[in-house]
C-alpha cells in the first residue's frame, strides 16, 4: 500500500481476496497475484501511477471488464499493478452530424451500441461478450464478432483514441472525420496493441445508419463439408452476409442434446446461420436470387419468421462458447483464420493432422473456433504440438493464429516462434521507443 498512499483520485485495492479475481479473464490462462489494483478516476491518478511505476519498478497492466480471451489483462511476474478502468469518467455522446460517438474506456459496449441505436445509428463491432465487455477492452484487443464478416473489426470503426503514454499524459490521436491523413496513424497502432504501447482511456467511434431490415436464415446440411465453399461463393456473387456462422456436426449434436430449449429444435447434421442486413434483403427477388445461387444445398433453408425467432437463434450462437466451457472446463479454444477461399483445404488439413477437435464460429470471414475439448487430459507437450500444427496449417494457407481474441499471454510463445522475425523486430523497436522503461503491460504479445 505504501507507494500508493498518496495516489490522487483513485480507489486502491490491496486485500488478497479483492486481488484474486484479477488473476483471471475468460481465457484458460492464470495470471499472478498483482501488488494492487488501482481504479483511476481521472488523469492525475494515471500521471502519478506512471511516475511511481518508473520510480519503483513495477508494471502497469490495463483491465476493462476482464472478458478477454487471451490473458492480455492478466498480471505476470511479482511486481504488477492492475489499472482497472471501470471507474474512468466520461459520458457517451453521439454526434449525428459527424456520424460519430465519443465514449470513455469504461463504457460498456452494450451501452455504446444502444446510444448509437437510440439515434438511428449502428456501431457494428459485436464480440460475443458485447453485453458485458468494456469499450476500452474492445479497443485494446481490436475485438471482432460475427458482424466483422461484413463490417470489419473494431479498428475499422475508430476515428480517434485518447491514450495514456509513457510521459504520464493523455494524448489524442485522430479527429472526428473519416478523412485524416496527416502522417501515420498512431491511434491505429494503439488499437489491438493490448496495452503494450500505452493505455486507451477513450475514443471517438465511427457510426453508420442502423440497418432497417434483416433476413436471418438457418441453413442445415447433411454433409457439413457442403458449407465450406458457400462463404466464398456468396461473396463472389455479390451477396455479402452481415454474419455467416456455423456449427460442425459435433458441436451441433452437443447443443441439441444438452443445450437450451431453442438449441433442441435446431435442424441438420451441421448448420449455418446467415444474416443479411442490406436494404431489400427481405424482398422476394433477393431471396430467390440467393436460393438460385445456393442451389441444392438450400433444400432445408429456413427463414426466421420474426424478431423473436431471430433473437432465439442468436441466443444459441451467443451461448455456445460458455456452454462448451461448462461441459468441458479444460478445453482450449482457438480462433485461427484462413481466407474464406481456403476453408475446404483447412478442414482437409486438420483431418490429416489428426488433431481431435470440434469447430464452430465465423465461417463467413474464415475465423474458426477450433476447440480441443480434451486439452485437459492431453499431455502438455502433445497439446503444444497440436496447437503449433494448427497455427502452422492456418498460416500455410495464408491465414493467421488469431482472428479476434489477440495474442496476450495465451499465444505469445507461438506468436514469437511463428511470426516473421522482421515483424517481431519492428514491434520490439516500437515498444522500446514508446515505452523505454517497460512499464506498460510487459510480457504480453512480444
Ligand atoms: C465466440 O465467437 C467467441 O463465441 C468465443 O469469440 C469463442 O470461446 C471461444 O473460443
Ligand atoms: Zn468468435
Amino acid at each position: 500500500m505504501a507507494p500508493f498512499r498518496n495516489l490522487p483520485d483513485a480507489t486502491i485495492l490491496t486485500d488478497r481476496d479483492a486481488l484474486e479475481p484479477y488473476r483471471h479473464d475468460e481465457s484458460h490462462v492464470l495470471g499472478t497475484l498483482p501488488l494492487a489494483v488501482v481504479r483511476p478516476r481521472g488523469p492525475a491518478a494515471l500521471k502519478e501511477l506512471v511516475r511511481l511505476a518508473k520510480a519503483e519498478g513495477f508494471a502497469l497492466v490495463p483491465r476493462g471488464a476482464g472478458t478477454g480471451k487471451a490473458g492480455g489483462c492478466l498480471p505476470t511476474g511479482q511486481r504488477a499493478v492492475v489499472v482497472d478502468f471501470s471507474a474512468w469518467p466520461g459520458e457517451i455522446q453521439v454526434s449525428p452530424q459527424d456520424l460519430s460517438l465519443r465514449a470513455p474506456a469504461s463504457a460498456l459496449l452494450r451501452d455504446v451500441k444502444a446510444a448509437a441505436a437510440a439515434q438511428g445509428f449502428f456501431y457494428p463491432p459485436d464480440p460475443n461478450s458485447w453485453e458485458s465487455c468494456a469499450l476500452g477492452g474492445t479497443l485494446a484487443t481490436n475485438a471482432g464478432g460475427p458482424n466483422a464478416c461484413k463490417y470489419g473489426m473494431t479498428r475499422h470503426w475508430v476515428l480517434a483514441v485518447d491514450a495514456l503514454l509513457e510521459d504520464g499524459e493523455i494524448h489524442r490521436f485522430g479527429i472526428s472525420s473519416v478523412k485524416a491523413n496527416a502522417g501515420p496513424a498512431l491511434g491505429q497502432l494503439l488499437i489491438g496493441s493490448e496495452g503494450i504501447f500505452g493505455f486507451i482511456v477513450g475514443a471517438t467511434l465511427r457510426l453508420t445508419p442502423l440497418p432497417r431490415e434483416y433476413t436471418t436464415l438457418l441453413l442445415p446440411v447433411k454433409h457439413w463439408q457442403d458449407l465450406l465453399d458457400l462463404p466464398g461463393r456468396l461473396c463472389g456473387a455479390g451477396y455479402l452476409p452481415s454474419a455467416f456462422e456455423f456449427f460442425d456436426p459435433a458441436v451441433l449434436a452437443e447443443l441439441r442434446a444438452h443445450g437450451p430449449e431453442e438449441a433442441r429444435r435446431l435442424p441438420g447434421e451441421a448448420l449455418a446461420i446467415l444474416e443479411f442486413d442490406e436494404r431489400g434483403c427481405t424482398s422476394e427477388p433477393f431471396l430467390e436470387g440467393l436460393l438460385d445461387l445456393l442451389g441444392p444445398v438450400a433444400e432445408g433453408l429456413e427463414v426466421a419468421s420474426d424478431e423473436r425467432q431471430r433473437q432465439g437463434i442468436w441466443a444459441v450462437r451467443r451461448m455456445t462458447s460458455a456452454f462448451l466451457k461448462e461441459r468441458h472446463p479444460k478445453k482450449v479454444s482457438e480462433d485461427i483464420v484462413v481466407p474464406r477461399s481456403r476453408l475446404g483445404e483447412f478442414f482437409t488439413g486438420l483431418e490429416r493432422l489428426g488433431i481431435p477437435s470440434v469447430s464452430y464460429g465465423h465461417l463467413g470471414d474464415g475465423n474458426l473456433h477450433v476447440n480441443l475439448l480434451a486439452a485437459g487430459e492431453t499431455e502438455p507437450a502433445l497439446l503444444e504440438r497440436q496447437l503449433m500444427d494448427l497455427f502452422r496449417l492456418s498460416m500455410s494457407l495464408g491465414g493467421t493464429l488469431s482472428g479476434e481474441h489477440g495474442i496476450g499471454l495465451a499465444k505469445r510463445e507461438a506468436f514469437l516462434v511463428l511470426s516473421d522475425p522482421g515483424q517481431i523486430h519492428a514491434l520490439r523497436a516500437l515498444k522500446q521507443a514508446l515505452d523505454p522503461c517497460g512499464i506498460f503491460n510487459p510480457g504480453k504479445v512480444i
Side-chain angles (χ1 to χ4, degrees), residues 115-391:
Q119 301 207 34
F121 299 109
F122 184 37
Y123 177 66
D126 63 341
N128 205 41
S129 55
W130 72 275
E131 290 185 280
S132 53
C133 66
L135 176 67
T138 69
L139 297 164
T141 59
N142 185 31
N147 281 162
C149 180
K150 174 172 176 180
Y151 292 98
M153 312 263 301
T154 295
R155 98 160 59 256
H156 302 114
W157 294 89
V158 180
L159 298 173
V161 299
D162 297 339
L164 171 75
L165 296 189
E166 73 89 36
D167 59 359
E169 304 290 340
I170 292 168
H171 300 264
R172 179 165 297 175
F173 301 106
I175 64 168
S176 256
S177 168
V178 288
K179 300 219 70 175
N181 203 20
L186 285 174
Q188 286 291 331
L189 182 65
L190 289 157
I191 299 162
S193 71
E194 305 189 38
I196 65 170
F197 298 138
F199 295 169
I200 297 173
V201 302
T204 307
L205 308 171
R206 187 179 146 210
L207 305 177
T208 192
L210 202 57
R212 286 162 200 261
E213 32 186 324
Y214 297 97
T215 290
T216 308
L217 306 159
L218 284 181
L219 178 59
V221 288
K222 283 204 191 73
H223 307 289
W224 79 278
Q225 286 83 351
D226 288 351
L227 290 175
L228 302 183
D229 71 336
L230 292 184
R233 273 213 286 135
L234 287 182
C235 291
Y239 282 84
L240 179 55
S242 49
F244 188 146
E245 302 288 305
F246 90 117
F247 303 119
D248 81 0
V251 175
L252 184 61
E254 199 155 336
L255 276 168
R256 212 158 24 214
H258 307 285
E261 193 58 34
E262 295 95 330
R264 300 190 182 207
R265 289 194 294 266
L266 292 177
E269 190 216 320
L271 182 68
I273 302 167
L274 278 80
E275 189 158 278
F276 295 87
D277 68 357
E278 67 251 41
R279 203 175 282 245
C281 69
T282 49
S283 70
E284 285 214 351
F286 180 92
L287 278 172
E288 274 162 20
L290 186 65
L291 280 173
D292 270 358
L293 187 67
L294 291 171
V297 80
E299 208 180 299
L301 193 77
E302 291 177 23
V303 183
S305 51
D306 55 23
E307 184 58 22
R308 205 165 135 248
Q309 201 190 351
R310 173 177 177 246
Q311 293 300 343
I313 292 169
W314 279 111
V316 175
R317 170 59 188 91
R318 292 287 182 185
M319 54 76 72
T320 304
S321 169
F323 164 80
L324 287 178
K325 181 93 187 156
E326 206 178 303
R327 293 185 48 78
H328 309 273
K330 294 193 175 151
K331 79 178 176 112
V332 169
S333 174
E334 292 301 338
D335 76 313
I336 61 90
V337 184
V338 294
R340 61 170 80 85
S341 56
R342 310 201 67 179
L343 284 162
E345 286 169 83
F346 172 77
F347 281 105
T348 306
L350 191 61
E351 203 177 328
R352 197 171 299 133
L353 286 170
I355 300 174
S357 59
V358 302
S359 300
Y360 68 97
H362 318 288
L363 199 69
D365 49 33
N367 179 201
L368 309 169
H369 295 311
V370 178
N371 277 243
L372 281 67
L373 300 181
E377 296 84 59
T378 308
E379 198 235 318
L382 174 60
L383 178 63
E384 198 187 316
R385 257 200 323 277
Q386 290 174 336
L387 294 176
M388 290 300 271
D389 283 350
L390 170 66
F391 299 151

